[in-house]
């Protein structure tokens, strides 16, 4: 068999690194639950026809098939691995609508798979963490602020630099685009979404190619340049409308535009009131996907802007293809974040194993005594292991030291009373102790995640 | 698009059911960590050539491939989804051996996939939870007891009826089989492994077909019938050896047999000493897989014998194909257990959502006051949500009731002081409360898992 080697795009962590990832996942779960979101998991596979609905994404789908497929298998639906958690969530809601309570607040943390070209250095398997609130027929607008607040709080609980949420509103943008006479609003949005990649000139060129007038392109780019940390953008966009090449019969577009502006201003204020210095209105945020209809979100990590948006989402009118189930949701790309935390040394675990104590073994005949001591510590929630061998105590201390286990417990010499002594192998302090009472300092009880 | 429908073999749970599964997973994690096992996760895919090493299992492999594969993709290694956690663990250890400390104590809880025929009613995607201890060159025998003890304790922490571990030892069995002249020991073990399925007559027929003498078959079946709750089997198997048709030159086989018998007796005693009434020596336990060399384990749940073994494993001389890395491990089939817990009503969550409190909203203009109240509760770790609408209080209470949220908090009338009142909607009790001090009873703080 060929020598083993890592597969590009499929990250794996050491046990010590995994502690950081597990901490991130547990923190997200905790914050989501604290805000009343319930968890679901969906199967890893969906019918390919459902996954391939969005043609942009279809090239990234991993299809699966039984290696030794027989005739029977040929008649089964073709399946693929999910590439996000939205497609399976939509199917889950449709399938279980009779058993769910709406509005349905759910979080979902699972791996997703994308068959990206490996040379692009992107992950092909990674954790996503999503929250959504979905109504049956309608969904109040204030929930657009709530999901942003929950995500902002979750990010603040993680060992990360400050995150800024860039907020926009589709009604505002679409109203404006229609106002300046653009018919293919979705197409224009996709062009503007590339501003970071291809720059203003590139976008201008693309939009000209799509038949948008130079004046309209200019207005669009002016709109995209507006960014304020509060509701003050409203005056700016209204002034821009007043000077823009607005078409006749733009009343409906203007109404749309005004509604979006009011909504965005309320959103930015609500998020900043709950989590100060988090949100800004950024009229450039487009999000490629067609189905957003209200708030859209992107999140940038200070000092790590190269990661792009680490937490994105938006408001949609309809979760499922057939219509119905309006909702709002956001998604964190967890593995990319964890990879950066580890790579940039933002976070590290204080040790590689859960054990706080290694109970030494005097000789193999007395192993049971060491095991019994260990069990008395475990009963009180102290992670403990027993030395795998009865080597010289120096060797057993080395075993603990290599794993970062802070304490070694020496059982009493056979025949002696008491429970022996416990040594802090960092300081060298060694004291007699009672296995039913001794407790390590709180900070040593479990591996902690500390800023690197 | 076709109407959505469940996929046979891919179980999914409601949010309330998922709470039971999450409880099981969290409990396993906690017990494993308490005993000093560190966690890893491996990627979902392995090269097919590695997965297909065991020809028995290869028919169950799901291969994956990019839907829109291009030339580039054709040159990549063919990948498949892992069907257990042992194959990826072996690859992980081989790949990371320079970064791991041995003996390496790891647990791993992930989904695995098997392309079983759907009509067999078996899961095609399910959680497994594995623990293993792996040495670099050698591994002390006492760890065979330790993994069984950890798993027995984990099972006791779950909402399940008592579990019995059936233990055997490969050296004992192989020594005996060789003693009665069997050359294809692995083949004979595979036949004996079918005792439950095809009965003694079926096994007898198979072994005759493999050229085993009637006398040897008789002795093998007598051995398989021995079952004792302690070390008393030793006398029985020694007596059996004395009457069995032992070949000439059986000294080495006898030595093997004796060593296995001593080891199994010590194992049963050690497990029962740590977790009373758990283990029995059961000489019938064969385990199909070739690579076990010492202890082998199966676990049966009282009253749910139809599930077969819920937790199995064994001791092996070499985790990787090239040799080296002796270890011992056990694996729980978590999804099948959870499915039974739910189906047989062994466990249920006390509510469907994490929220302990719903903060009512008097009218939309005062929503911010309700949100502020909710945040004060959340700060103290009380899962809380705010009513999505400002309907009549009766409707808002109904919202809480449908989700099992035990408390509704009514904010003060606008202009009034204080924090309003909190109502236990089960008893109807309503009292004025301070949002910085009030706490729900401990049993209501989070959804609990209770025996059904």
């Amino acid at each position: 068999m060929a020598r083993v080697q890592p597969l590009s795009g499929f990250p794996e962590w050491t046990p010590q690194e995994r502690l950081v990832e597990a901490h991130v996942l547990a923190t997200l779960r905790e914050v989501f639950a604290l805000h009343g979101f319930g968890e679901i998991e969906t199967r890893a596979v969906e019918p390919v026809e459902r996954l391939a609905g969005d043609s942009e994404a279809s090239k990234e789908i991993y299809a699966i098939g039984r290696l030794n497929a027989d005739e029977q298998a040929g008649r089964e639906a073709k399946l693929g691995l999910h590439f996000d958690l939205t497609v399976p969530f939509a199917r889950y809601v449709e399938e279980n609508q009779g058993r769910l309570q709406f509005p349905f607040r759910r979080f979902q943390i699972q791996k997703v798979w994308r068959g990206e070209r490996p040379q692009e250095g992107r992950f092909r398997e990674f954790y996503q963490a999503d929250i959504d609130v979905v109504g049956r027929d309608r969904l109040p607008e204030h929930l657009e602020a709530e999901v942003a607040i929950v995500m902002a709080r979750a990010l603040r609980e993680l060992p990360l630099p400050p995150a800024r949420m860039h907020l926009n509103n589709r009604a505002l943008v679409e109203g404006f685009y229609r106002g300046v006479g653009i018919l293919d609003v979705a197409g224009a949005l996709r062009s503007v979404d590339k501003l970071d990649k291809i720059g203003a000139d590139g976008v201008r060129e693309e939009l000209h190619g799509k038949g948008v007038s130079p004046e309209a392109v200019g207005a669009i780019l002016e709109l995209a340049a507006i960014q304020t940390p509060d509701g003050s953008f409203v005056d700016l966009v209204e002034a821009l409308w007043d000077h823009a090449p607005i078409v006749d019969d733009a009343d409906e577009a203007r109404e749309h535009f005004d509604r979006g502006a009011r909504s965005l201003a309320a959103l930015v204020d609500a998020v900043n009131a709950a989590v100060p210095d988090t949100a800004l209105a950024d009229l450039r945020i487009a999000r490629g996907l067609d189905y957003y209809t209200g708030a859209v979100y992107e999140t940038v990590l200070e000092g790590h802007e190269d990661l792009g948006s680490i937490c994105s989402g938006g408001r949609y009118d309809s979760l499922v293809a057939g219509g119905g189930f309006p909702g709002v949701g956001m998604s964190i790309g967890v593995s990319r974040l964890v990879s950066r935390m580890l790579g940039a040394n933002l976070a590290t675990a204080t040790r590689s194993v859960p054990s706080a104590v290694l109970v030494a073994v005097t000789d193999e005949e007395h192993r049971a005594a060491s095991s019994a001591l260990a069990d008395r510590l475990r009963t009180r929630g102290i992670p403990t292991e027993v030395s795998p061998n009865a080597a010289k105590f120096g060797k057993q201390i080395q075993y603990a030291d290599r794993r970062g286990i802070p304490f070694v417990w020496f059982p009493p010499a056979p025949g002696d009373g008491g429970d022996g002594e416990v040594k802090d192998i960092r300081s060298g302090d060694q004291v007699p102790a009672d296995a039913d009472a001794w407790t390590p300092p709180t900070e040593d009880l479990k591996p902690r995640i500390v800023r690197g």
Side-chain angles (χ1 to χ4, degrees), chain A residues 2-225:
Chain A
R3 201 180 158 347
V4 290
Q5 49 187 3
L7 275 180
S8 169
F10 291 89
E12 288 186 332
W13 314 125
T14 64
Q16 190 155 5
E17 291 169 340
R18 165 64 186 170
L19 285 166
V20 172
E21 181 177 69
H23 170 77
V24 169
L25 299 176
T27 302
L28 295 177
R29 281 206 162 79
E30 197 178 308
V31 174
F32 298 159
L34 196 59
H35 290 80
F37 286 78
E39 186 177 23
I40 66 163
E41 287 200 348
T42 55
R43 62 189 191 222
V45 298
E46 298 293 334
V48 160
E49 57 162 14
R50 186 168 282 269
L51 291 170
D54 175 349
S55 61
E56 267 306 293
S58 66
K59 66 176 176 296
E60 300 174 356
I61 296 171
Y62 276 120
I64 73 166
R66 290 170 61 205
L67 196 60
N68 291 9
D70 48 20
E71 205 189 327
Q72 172 70 20
R75 273 179 271 136
E76 294 168 24
K78 180 118 176 118
L79 301 174
L81 297 174
H82 56 220
F83 55 81
D84 70 9
L85 300 178
T86 302
V87 173
F89 177 53
R91 191 261 316 149
Y92 180 94
V93 167
E94 204 177 343
E95 189 176 315
N96 294 286
Q97 55 185 290
R99 300 196 283 171
L100 301 173
Q101 301 292 333
F102 295 92
F104 176 40
R105 302 159 72 85
R106 88 85 171 75
F107 76 88
Q108 188 168 353
I109 303 178
Q110 289 184 253
K111 283 178 181 158
V112 303
W113 294 269
R114 293 185 187 174
E116 313 247 10
R117 284 167 170 274
Q119 62 266 39
E120 285 171 7
R122 306 188 71 163
F123 287 160
R124 299 178 135 198
E125 175 181 51
F126 55 98
Y127 269 114
Q128 276 198 337
D130 282 24
I131 59 171
D132 281 83
V133 187
V134 173
R136 187 182 277 279
D137 303 311
R138 49 194 212 81
L139 192 82
E141 197 170 276
H142 59 77
L143 289 166
E144 295 177 12
E146 184 165 350
V147 298
I149 290 164
V150 174
M151 278 302 199
R153 286 180 176 155
L155 291 170
R156 291 220 170 174
E157 294 294 322
L158 299 179
L160 289 172
R164 296 302 299 265
M165 280 192 184
H166 296 245
L167 311 180
N168 199 357
N169 183 288
R170 272 288 172 86
L172 187 168
V173 175
E174 290 186 21
F176 189 83
Y177 283 21
R178 289 215 194 95
V180 298
I182 291 174
L183 301 176
D184 177 14
V185 171
L189 274 168
R190 276 195 297 273
S191 294
V192 172
D193 201 28
K194 297 182 193 159
L195 254 175
D196 281 340
K197 262 195 211 160
I198 61 177
D201 287 345
V203 173
R204 189 173 284 120
E205 202 174 316
E206 263 202 37
L207 288 170
H208 287 171
K210 288 177 181 174
V212 181
S213 74
E215 295 74 23
V217 172
I220 281 182
L221 288 172
E222 273 192 79
L223 184 75

Side-chain angles (χ1 to χ4, degrees), chain A residues 267-283:
Chain A
L267 174 64
V268 172
D269 286 346
V271 175
N272 281 329
V275 192
D277 303 319
T278 289
L280 62 160
D282 182 346
L283 283 289

Side-chain angles (χ1 to χ4, degrees), chain A residues 319-373:
Chain A
L319 180 65
V320 304
F325 303 109
V328 57
M330 295 182 80
S331 177
I332 300 184
V334 176
S335 295
R336 262 157 59 79
L337 265 192
V338 170
S339 178
R340 177 57 58 97
M341 284 178 195
L342 296 170
N345 203 23
L346 298 174
T348 184
T350 50
R351 57 183 188 251
S352 71
V353 295
S355 312
V357 181
L358 175 76
V359 180
V361 174
T362 312
D363 50 56
E364 286 301 336
E365 292 77 70
H366 295 88
R367 170 170 296 280
S370 295
S371 294
L373 278 171

